[in-house]
């Protein structure tokens, strides 16, 4: 996990260097570290130094316990800039949407709302 985190940090530098369309494209760094807070913090610190337009919280598989998952999300949202989008990847349960909004997440990639809406159900 640690080596993957350093690879991600190197990759974001390559992305920043390659990005030429600054007026209509943004690069979000994907926070890695899995369930290891000290590794997530390395990634957070490095990405925050780069002052990215937004940040994605990744590195979680969806198979963690709720408390482990929410602990890492909270670590990230507490540390990430409040004035930049914070996007959580791979959410699959309604309770995670609610809890993670309360923790400070702004955006999600989640099939649940779309899949549920197809069958005439709405989340209220």
């Amino acid at each position: 996990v640690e080596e993957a985190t350093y690879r991600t940090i190197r990759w974001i530098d390559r992305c920043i260097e390659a990005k030429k369309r600054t007026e209509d494209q943004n690069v979000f760094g994907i926070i890695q570290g899995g369930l290891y807070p000290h590794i997530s913090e390395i990634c957070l610190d490095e990405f925050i130094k780069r002052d990215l337009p937004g940040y994605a919280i990744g590195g979680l598989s969806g198979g963690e316990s709720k408390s482990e998952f929410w602990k890492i999300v909270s670590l990230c949202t507490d540390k990430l800039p409040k004035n930049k989008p914070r996007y959580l990847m791979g959410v699959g349960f309604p309770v995670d949407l609610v809890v993670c909004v309360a923790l400070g997440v702004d955006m999600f990639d989640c099939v649940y709302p779309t899949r549920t809406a197809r069958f005439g159900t709405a989340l209220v």
Side-chain angles (χ1 to χ4, degrees), residues 30-105:
I30 303 172
I31 306 301
Q32 299 296 331
L35 296 176
Y36 304 99
H38 67 285
I39 298 175
S40 295
E41 291 208 37
I42 291 168
C43 201
L44 283 160
D45 290 342
E46 290 300 318
F47 281 7
I48 291 166
K49 283 182 199 174
R50 286 152 177 81
D51 192 30
L52 300 168
Y55 303 88
I57 301 167
L60 300 165
S61 67
E64 310 84 5
S65 72
K66 296 290 187 201
S67 64
E68 291 174 312
F69 178 76
W70 295 335
K71 179 180 172 185
I72 295 298
V73 171
S74 181
L75 168 77
C76 293
T77 56
D78 286 349
K79 196 157 192 169
L80 288 171
K82 305 291 185 233
N83 65 332
K84 305 274 181 104
R86 293 169 292 176
Y87 160 63
L88 181 57
M89 304 175 72
V91 175
F93 299 99
V95 68
D96 291 328
L97 294 171
V98 174
V99 170
C100 292
V101 164
L103 292 174
V105 173

Side-chain angles (χ1 to χ4, degrees), residues 112-122:
Y112 182 82
T114 304
R115 185 177 55 223
T116 303
R118 283 188 194 133
F119 298 102
T121 303

